[in-house]
Amino acid sequence: MSSVPPPVSSPECGLKVFWDDRLISYDFGTGHPLNPVRVELTMALAREYELLDAPNVVVEEFEAADDELLGLVHDPAYIAAVKHAGATGLPELRHGLGSPDNPVFLGMHDASALVTGASVAAARAVWTGGAEHAANVSGGLHHALSEAASGFCVYNDPAVAIAWLLANGAERVAYVDVDVHHGDGVQAAFYDDPRVLTISLHETPRTLFPGTGFPNETGGPGAEGSAVNVALPPGTGDAAWLRAFDAVVPPLLEAFRPQVLVTQHGCDSHALDPLAHLILSVDGQRTVYAWLHRLAHRLAGGRWVVTGGGGYELVQVVPRAWTHLLAEAAGRPIAPETATPEPWRDFVRRRTGEVAPRRMTDGTSVVEVVTWGNGYDPANPVDQAVLATRRAVFPEHGLDPMTGL
């Protein structure tokens, strides 16, 4: 075993957090897995740690995305359908609105446009030099397609943010998605565009929605190698997941040299998540946040746009994971053994009736990993998945699938 500690972060990085209490209006209703209480608890925990009051952190207002912005990714007829459904409460089933995954709710367009506006504001802040890093933890709705809602996602805020960057002069944007589900909507939006490298590490589509994200999905004509998919077997935990990340993400970002790094941080890869079958801990997730932070500084000039994503263990996982994410992006990482603040635990009990976690760790301060450089194990299903991805895309970037050089 070799140790892969959380990389050293740049101290006190400038961070803008785009937040508005109205973001919790993105709400599919009682019983739906995507309960907005998860972002409410996240922001409450971040405030208790005084992250949002740090001198290098600014909480900033923003405007909802208008039709022109949404139209960078979404078809006008779909935008009209979202508005109609949100105004009338009536389904638009041909556009995926009114399904069990995506039930219609009043005000749906306004709430969805607000989430998208926050991600575009984050991209604008980073691209124009208004901030080194920018975050929208309510975002990361990566399944929405150009003409349809999908997988709890109405508008695809990361895709719209990336499209805005391209429209404003960016020539190379990398998108890394660590959600347990394949980032299919973002991949689809840029499948034929060599200016965007999409990398998704997810549970294999053989066992999980949306059923896409196989290694042979590598980009359209003229954009071969621009879509990268690591399809991991159920039961993959911290060490194996981080081994896969190490084997794929750094070498491809090194070859691509993005001007901006956009990341989606669905924390539904956690062992407690009720909708999937990977078994990461908060500590493994915290480690990859630090890794991505270092990569943003080393390869993208520090320009890092951070979004949330999935995550359906609303109390035990999401608030801690995304508070670690915000702390990391601010260059103020929280020590894993830190106790969660008692006022926050009291708020959790009043708000949800649940007992909050007492520490910011699941018990592992440093995750031990056998890195890819230590050798390929042909009997290991994670290594098999990694090698399938490397064989599919590394040659398109001038890299050897075995050595990564």
Side-chain angles (χ1 to χ4, degrees):
M1 301 288 278
S2 64
S3 176
V4 180
V8 175
S9 302
S10 297
E12 296 194 3
C13 302
L15 171 65
K16 283 191 176 179
V17 178
F18 289 89
W19 177 254
D20 185 311
D21 288 344
R22 294 177 298 159
L23 285 165
I24 64 173
S25 66
Y26 189 86
D27 186 355
F28 289 109
T30 303
H32 193 280
L34 193 76
N35 188 327
V37 75
R38 66 200 191 118
V39 290
E40 184 181 356
L41 296 180
T42 297
M43 295 300 288
L45 183 56
R47 287 191 183 99
E48 286 293 337
Y49 283 124
E50 300 183 345
L51 283 173
L52 306 183
D53 298 319
N56 60 310
V57 176
V58 176
V59 179
E60 191 152 304
E61 296 180 348
F62 57 93
E63 295 182 356
D66 59 19
D67 289 6
E68 182 179 0
L69 272 177
L70 295 171
L72 293 174
V73 168
H74 294 289
D75 186 84
Y78 174 61
I79 298 170
V82 175
K83 289 181 177 180
H84 183 261
T88 64
L90 298 175
E92 294 274 356
L93 292 175
R94 69 184 182 280
H95 292 293
L97 301 168
S99 67
D101 275 2
N102 303 286
V104 170
F105 61 94
L106 294 177
M108 182 168 60
H109 166 78
D110 293 339
S112 305
L114 196 67
V115 173
T116 304
S119 290
V120 173
R124 182 183 295 114
V126 166
W127 184 243
T128 60
E132 274 187 286
H133 311 328
N136 171 23
V137 293
S138 73
L141 304 178
H142 60 167
H143 293 307
L145 303 171
S146 62
E147 299 182 357
S150 178
F152 315 160
C153 306
V154 177
Y155 294 138
N156 195 317
D157 62 284
V160 175
I162 292 168
W164 183 91
L165 288 166
L166 298 176
N168 284 272
E171 297 175 343
R172 296 182 312 282
V173 179
Y175 171 77
V176 178
D177 188 319
V178 300
D179 195 290
V180 78
H181 301 90
H182 177 225
D184 58 332
V186 182
Q187 175 181 287
F190 304 107
Y191 200 67
D192 299 319
D193 194 333
R195 296 175 298 173
V196 181
L197 175 68
T198 64
I199 306 176
S200 178
L201 293 91
H202 48 264
E203 183 179 331
T204 173
R206 298 185 188 280
T207 56
L208 194 66
F209 174 91
T212 58
F214 289 99
N216 63 356
E217 299 169 32
T218 59
E224 294 86 355
S226 66
V228 181
N229 290 290
V230 186
L232 296 166
T236 300
D238 288 342
W241 194 101
L242 290 165
R243 174 176 168 83
F245 180 95
D246 171 66
V248 173
V249 178
L252 287 175
L253 292 184
E254 185 82 45
F256 187 68
R257 290 283 166 170
Q259 295 165 299
V260 184
L261 178 62
V262 180
T263 54
Q264 195 270 20
H265 294 273
C267 51
D268 40 8
S269 57
H270 195 277
L272 295 180
D273 196 89
L275 300 188
H277 315 97
L278 299 190
I279 54 172
L280 272 68
S281 69
V282 165
D283 302 292
Q285 293 169 337
R286 170 181 49 81
T287 300
V288 81
Y289 304 159
W291 216 329
L292 286 165
H293 189 183
R294 180 180 65 177
L295 289 167
H297 280 286
R298 184 161 65 86
L299 301 175
R303 290 179 288 271
W304 187 22
V305 179
V306 173
T307 69
Y312 310 101
E313 210 318 311
L314 309 174
V315 171
Q316 302 301 318
V317 176
V318 178
R320 289 188 299 158
W322 288 351
T323 297
H324 275 304
L325 176 62
L326 292 173
E328 178 61 43
R332 296 171 172 271
I334 297 169
E337 64 275 9
T338 303
T340 54
E342 187 173 353
W344 180 75
R345 296 197 299 268
D346 290 342
F347 175 65
V348 169
R349 185 172 58 251
R350 295 194 308 271
R351 185 67 180 83
T352 69
E354 294 191 33
V355 176
R358 299 192 65 85
R359 297 198 177 274
M360 291 295 286
T361 179
D362 285 337
T364 305
S365 60
V366 176
V367 178
E368 297 288 335
V369 182
V370 178
T371 63
W372 188 262
N374 290 337
Y376 164 65
D377 180 358
N380 186 312
V382 171
D383 280 20
Q384 293 168 11
V386 167
L387 187 57
T389 299
R390 289 170 62 116
R391 283 175 169 163
V393 296
F394 271 34
E396 300 291 347
H397 296 269
L399 300 173
D400 181 271
M402 292 304 299
T403 66
L405 301 175

